């Protein structure tokens, strides 16, 4: 039996200079508050966004929105947020 703890969570990254956001879902063996913005910088395919977080960390805030018991629940929550904010066409989102 595998007893290793895995954390499933939905997060928001905010660029405080541009006031742009990114919502994502993550499963990690590291506690979210020790992972997000420290070891993990999003699942975005936007390399400039990810590199900028590392180069200019003072311009970003990281928030854990919700912790979930399963990755499926986290995915559903992320999709719900994406739909609410219409992130695909909303200029306030990466």
């Amino acid at each position: 039996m595998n007893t290793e703890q895995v954390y499933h969570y939905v997060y928001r990254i905010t660029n405080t200079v541009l006031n742009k956001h990114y919502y994502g879902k993550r499963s990690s063996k590291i506690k979210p508050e020790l992972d997000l913005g420290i070891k993990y910088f999003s699942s975005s395919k936007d390399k400039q966004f990810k590199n900028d977080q590392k180069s200019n960390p003072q311009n970003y805030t990281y928030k854990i929105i919700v912790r979930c018991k399963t990755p499926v629940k986290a995915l559903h929550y992320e999709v719900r947020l994406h739909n609410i904010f219409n992130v695909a066409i909303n200029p306030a989102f990466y």
Side-chain angles (χ1 to χ4, degrees):
M1 181 169 122
N2 186 355
T3 59
E4 188 170 24
Q5 175 72 48
V6 177
Y7 302 91
H8 312 286
Y9 63 96
V10 176
Y11 61 90
R12 182 181 67 222
I13 300 172
T14 300
N15 180 319
T16 58
V17 173
L18 301 176
N19 199 29
K20 286 183 78 167
H21 310 280
Y22 179 89
Y23 279 107
K25 173 203 85 80
R26 168 100 163 136
S27 294
S28 174
K29 294 177 184 176
I30 302 169
K31 287 185 177 185
E33 56 276 3
L34 301 175
D35 186 40
L36 182 62
I38 299 167
K39 296 190 178 283
Y40 181 74
F41 296 92
S42 88
S43 54
S44 174
K45 305 230 183 306
D46 184 335
K47 289 184 195 262
Q48 194 262 330
F49 167 57
K50 289 171 82 169
N51 288 334
D52 191 54
Q53 290 177 69
K54 295 173 188 173
S55 299
N56 301 293
Q58 72 281 1
N59 295 345
Y60 292 88
T61 59
Y62 301 88
K63 182 172 183 178
I64 297 151
I65 303 300
V66 67
R67 297 168 194 253
C68 299
K69 293 191 184 292
T70 70
V72 172
K73 286 184 180 183
L75 177 63
H76 286 292
Y77 201 96
E78 178 196 23
V79 168
R80 185 170 160 230
L81 288 170
H82 283 199
N83 289 335
I84 289 169
F85 293 105
N86 204 4
V87 302
I89 62 169
N90 188 333
F93 287 84
Y94 288 100

